[in-house]
Amino acid sequence: MWPDGYAKRVLPEVDSTNAEAARIAPDLAGPEWILGLRQTAGRGRRGRAWVNPEGNFTATLVMRPLEAPDVIALRSFVASLALYDAFAQVTGTDAGLSLKWPNDVLLNGGKVAGILLEGSPGYLAIGIGVNLIAAPDASQVEAGAVSPVSLLAETGVRLTPEAFLTALAQAYAKWERTFTTFGFAPVREAWLSRAARLGETITARTTQQETVGVFETVDAEGNLVLKTPKARVAIAAADVFF
């Protein structure tokens, strides 16, 4: 069942669902999901290309939230939890699922989905890509990054993008209600209970530096907290390597 209060548009082809979100944002009456069945100019974090074979999932939720920018950005965790629940629903199990800070979903240790938040004053676009039926070759990802996997190859479950969108929209609406009613605390607790490599040594890499430490927690602002030999370090944005 489609959640109340959310509009939906399905596009046979689009350059980027996040780009479409920017175009329609000024006229939004409420939150709206945009599903692109074929995307010609998809992108991931830091402007990387997002490979999207036909049958995979590319969608964006565009909304006009009223909170401060630092609070709005915490919806990456809301979206992660929604993806986790949607995968559990469509497969009948959460076995093998985990969440990788800041915005990836892992299945059996491989990346099955990613999230990209974009926006400007007045709107937020939550872009989501899911390898439903096919994953990029490992040679197409950054050295040392988690290898991509597909839902079909890992579970045998074959879904249409439209079917997955319904499951995701339902799950997102639930976590959005939790977030707007109770704040980040319950979202953070739920995210940490599903976190990949919590308590283990990981590497956080930015364009300027690399930090190696034990993944201790995610703090109340959504920062990754690593315990290094010298100090506890809170990291606002980085790529994480295991």
Side-chain angles (χ1 to χ4, degrees):
M1 183 181 297
W2 189 257
D4 292 337
Y6 289 77
K8 174 176 65 172
R9 67 177 67 194
V10 178
L11 304 176
E13 183 174 297
V14 66
D15 52 353
S16 157
T17 54
N18 271 21
E20 179 71 5
R23 289 189 287 265
I24 71 170
D27 300 317
L28 276 185
E32 182 164 332
W33 282 97
I34 305 163
L35 176 66
L37 298 182
R38 183 171 181 269
Q39 186 171 250
T40 60
R43 61 190 185 278
R45 293 183 72 233
R46 304 185 191 279
R48 299 180 185 121
W50 179 271
V51 179
N52 186 52
E54 189 172 346
N56 275 0
F57 179 89
T58 303
T60 296
L61 174 61
V62 57
M63 57 173 62
R64 302 181 73 171
L66 301 176
E67 303 98 342
D70 58 334
V71 176
I72 290 172
L74 294 173
R75 282 184 171 83
S76 63
F77 295 91
V78 177
S80 294
L81 288 168
L83 275 165
Y84 186 103
D85 286 357
F87 283 123
Q89 178 187 329
V90 300
T91 62
T93 179
D94 64 357
L97 288 169
S98 60
L99 302 178
K100 177 176 176 285
W101 188 92
N103 52 17
D104 292 339
V105 182
L106 307 184
L107 177 58
N108 299 332
K111 179 177 174 177
V112 71
I115 300 163
L116 175 65
L117 264 62
E118 294 183 323
S120 65
Y123 87 96
L124 170 69
I126 306 174
I128 296 174
V130 179
N131 300 325
L132 285 182
I133 64 165
D137 188 86
S139 64
Q140 295 178 269
V141 302
E142 186 177 353
V146 172
S147 295
V149 299
S150 73
L151 182 69
L152 178 60
E154 295 298 314
T155 68
V157 173
R158 181 184 288 272
L159 279 180
T160 65
E162 294 93 333
F164 188 77
L165 177 61
T166 298
L168 178 59
Q170 290 172 340
Y172 186 90
K174 181 192 77 170
W175 283 110
E176 175 71 16
R177 284 193 299 271
T178 297
F179 180 62
T180 54
T181 304
F182 302 107
F184 183 53
V187 172
R188 172 179 173 271
E189 182 179 356
W191 191 95
L192 283 168
S193 73
R194 298 159 173 80
R197 305 297 179 97
L198 187 65
E200 299 183 23
T201 298
I202 63 174
T203 299
R205 189 179 299 159
T206 68
T207 54
Q208 286 81 33
Q209 64 181 16
E210 180 175 291
T211 304
V212 179
V214 175
F215 177 12
E216 200 168 81
T217 191
V218 167
D219 68 17
E221 287 73 48
N223 299 314
L224 176 72
V225 179
L226 298 184
K227 183 179 180 181
T228 74
K230 294 183 178 180
R232 293 173 81 247
V233 180
I235 299 169
D239 289 322
V240 167
F241 298 84
F242 297 153

